[in-house]
């Protein structure tokens, strides 16, 4: 599969139903015969139940939409909720979707728990795994490892708050497993992770090893999708597409822009990080469609900032690959 360069956005409009449309062109895949039917799934990331007071309401809107869309499965890309008994009501909203449900571990999910505790709380079988749906192969990675003195250590009860060069690793054993998964499958593949497999600043530290495996098998890779960065972003590099799923809930504000203007006063007494949170008015999420004819589409959501916006508070815009927005864009890829 020869992949051609990113072709750009085709227009931008202000309504939530018509978002910027990103078109990428690829030559047809020889694996289309492997496909049985159109596949549709829902994606959400970085809800952060433990940091914001309206996480339940935001998740309910996503689940309601997933039911109406009659999707084949839903997946959350991490920083979902900690393994606290008080979060069982939040988790029950997720569980109310009757179809298959998948989890990706995020770094903050281990702020108070171990990985094994999170697996138990979510009912997640393994920290990394794969599954097939409608002739598409999906791979879920776990980049929540420290690496120091030649040893990988699981994130566990906030032990990752160390020098950034020591964190956000995929361990060697998992990389070998990933290589085997890619080489053995005959199906078009989508890769999920919490941290980016591309991002130059906030991505997986040893991402080059994973990129090389994918680039050697680029004819099998539809795209990689991640959360973590709370941005709406796409990057096409060496035949691989990397798509950032924006946070469902908010953008983090630097300390100098802290504000108590977004929520009622009593909320700030119960949520210590809330002054650093600039919330989106509506929850952001996406629905993806894989078409047997060889197209992959993402339908996103366009929201706006709860007043005052970051710009109104004087927080400067960021450089390429770090831009913040209250949007999850639409995309289309051909394969």
């Amino acid at each position: 599969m020869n992949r051609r360069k990113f072709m750009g956005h085709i227009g931008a409009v202000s309504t939530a139903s018509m978002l910027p449309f990103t078109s990428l062109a690829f030559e047809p895949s020889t694996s289309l015969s492997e496909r049985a039917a159109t596949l549709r799934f829902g994606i959400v990331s970085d809800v952060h139940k433990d940091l914001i007071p309206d996480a339940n309401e935001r998740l309910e809107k996503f689940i309601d939409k997933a039911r109406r869309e009659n999707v084949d499965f839903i997946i959350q890309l991490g920083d979902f909720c900690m393994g606290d008994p008080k979060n069982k009501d939040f988790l029950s909203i997720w569980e109310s979707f009757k179809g298959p449900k998948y989890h990706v571990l995020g770094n903050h999910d281990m702020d108070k728990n171990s990985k094994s505790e999170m697996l138990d709380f979510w009912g997640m079988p393994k920290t990394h795994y794969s599954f097939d749906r409608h002739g598409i192969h999906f791979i879920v990675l776990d980049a929540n490892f420290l690496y120091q003195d030649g040893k990988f250590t699981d994130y566990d009860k906030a032990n990752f708050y160390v020098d950034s060069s020591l964190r956000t690793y995929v361990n060697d054993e998992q990389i070998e497993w990933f290589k085997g998964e890619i080489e053995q499958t005959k199906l078009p593949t989508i890769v999920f992770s919490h941290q980016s497999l591309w991002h130059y600043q906030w991505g997986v530290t040893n991402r080059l090893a994973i990129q090389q495996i994918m680039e050697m098998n680029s004819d099998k890779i539809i795209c990689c999708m991640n959360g973590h960065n709370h941005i709406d972003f796409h990057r096409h590099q060496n035949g691989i597409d990397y798509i950032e799923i924006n946070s469902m809930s908010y953008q983090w504000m630097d300390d100098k822009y802290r504000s108590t203007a977004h929520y009622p006063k009593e909320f700030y007494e119960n949520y210590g990080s809330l002054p650093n949170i600039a919330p989106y008015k509506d929850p952001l999420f996406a629905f993806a469609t894989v078409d047997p004819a060889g197209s992959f589409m993402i339908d996103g959501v366009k929201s706006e900032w709860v007043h005052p916006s970051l710009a109104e508070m004087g927080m400067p815009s960021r450089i390429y690959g770090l831009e913040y927005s209250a949007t999850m864009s639409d995309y289309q890829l051909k394969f």
Side-chain angles (χ1 to χ4, degrees):
M1 173 166 35
N2 264 333
R3 297 182 174 239
R4 295 190 289 274
K5 292 185 69 176
F6 172 64
M7 295 172 59
H9 290 277
I10 305 176
V13 291
S14 60
T15 64
S17 61
M18 298 181 65
L19 298 174
F21 185 78
T22 306
S23 177
L24 299 99
F26 304 86
E27 292 182 1
S29 169
T30 58
S31 60
L32 293 181
S33 61
E34 301 280 351
R35 302 172 184 279
T38 297
L39 172 72
R40 189 158 172 81
F41 59 94
I43 318 153
V44 64
S45 191
D46 297 87
V47 185
H48 285 281
K49 159 65 178 174
D50 302 273
L51 299 186
I52 61 169
D54 56 350
N56 286 25
E57 293 80 4
R58 290 174 182 269
L59 186 62
E60 283 174 348
K61 290 182 179 179
F62 169 70
I63 296 298
D64 288 345
K65 178 74 170 176
R67 290 195 192 101
R68 294 196 303 272
E69 294 281 326
N70 195 29
V71 298
D72 294 284
F73 69 85
I74 57 175
I75 186 166
Q76 64 85 11
L77 299 185
D79 286 0
F80 190 56
C81 73
M82 299 177 200
D84 191 316
K86 70 180 181 181
N87 288 336
K88 288 185 176 179
D89 62 338
F90 175 78
L91 196 59
S92 69
I93 297 169
W94 177 259
E95 295 294 336
S96 70
F97 179 78
K98 299 305 180 184
K101 299 168 283 290
Y102 299 99
H103 294 284
V104 180
L105 282 174
N107 56 306
H108 289 297
D109 296 316
M110 278 75 70
D111 272 352
K112 295 182 179 179
N113 301 94
S114 67
K115 284 184 182 179
S116 61
E117 289 170 342
M118 291 310 304
L119 294 183
D120 289 343
F121 191 74
W122 288 353
M124 184 179 178
K126 294 183 67 177
T127 66
H128 64 277
Y129 57 96
S130 65
F131 62 96
D132 294 342
R133 290 281 168 186
H134 291 198
I136 306 297
H137 191 56
F138 296 91
I139 298 176
V140 171
L141 294 177
D142 172 17
N144 300 293
F145 287 87
L146 299 170
Y147 182 71
Q148 189 172 18
D149 299 327
K151 180 182 178 181
F152 291 98
T153 304
D154 284 304
Y155 284 9
D156 186 357
K157 298 180 177 64
N159 64 346
F160 71 92
Y161 288 103
V162 294
D163 185 278
S164 60
S165 66
L166 303 178
R167 65 189 182 206
T168 321
Y169 280 86
V170 176
N171 62 331
D172 288 344
E173 179 183 355
Q174 188 179 173
I175 290 176
E176 284 302 309
W177 170 84
F178 178 73
K179 183 174 184 289
E181 282 285 314
I182 294 294
E183 292 178 347
Q184 292 171 21
T185 187
K186 295 181 179 179
L187 301 178
T189 299
I190 293 175
V191 181
F192 295 118
S193 58
H194 178 63
Q195 299 92 336
S196 172
L197 297 176
W198 172 82
H199 206 282
Y200 60 94
Q201 182 172 343
W202 297 330
V204 173
T205 306
N206 57 339
R207 62 191 177 277
L208 293 182
I210 298 172
Q211 289 178 9
Q212 289 172 358
I213 293 169
M214 293 192 295
E215 289 166 11
M216 291 177 65
N217 298 273
S218 62
D219 58 321
K220 299 178 182 179
I221 307 296
I222 296 175
C223 69
C224 302
M225 306 178 75
N226 71 275
H228 186 58
N229 297 329
H230 295 216
I231 58 176
D232 173 42
F233 183 71
H234 164 267
R235 175 75 175 185
H236 180 83
Q237 177 177 290
N238 297 337
I240 307 296
D241 288 285
Y242 302 88
I243 297 174
E244 303 259 0
I245 302 299
N246 205 340
S247 166
M248 169 176 268
S249 307
Y250 72 89
Q251 177 57 241
W252 185 262
M253 294 184 290
D254 300 336
D255 283 345
K256 67 182 295 185
Y257 304 105
R258 284 166 60 92
S259 171
T260 57
H262 297 109
Y263 287 99
K265 180 180 178 181
E266 59 270 20
F267 288 160
Y268 291 94
E269 297 171 357
N270 297 319
Y271 293 86
S273 297
L274 207 55
N276 289 94
I277 285 174
Y280 309 140
K281 181 178 179 182
D282 308 294
L284 299 184
F285 45 77
F287 289 92
T289 303
V290 188
D291 190 276
S295 68
F296 177 75
M297 298 181 64
I298 292 180
D299 303 315
V301 172
K302 183 178 178 65
S303 184
E304 58 189 45
W305 301 99
V306 174
H307 179 79
S309 69
L310 293 181
E312 291 169 331
M313 290 186 291
M315 187 166 162
S317 18
R318 294 168 172 166
I319 61 173
Y320 173 77
L322 299 166
E323 299 96 335
Y324 51 74
S325 70
T327 295
M328 182 61 225
S329 289
D330 289 352
Y331 295 97
Q332 180 174 352
L333 290 74
K334 299 292 185 182
F335 58 93

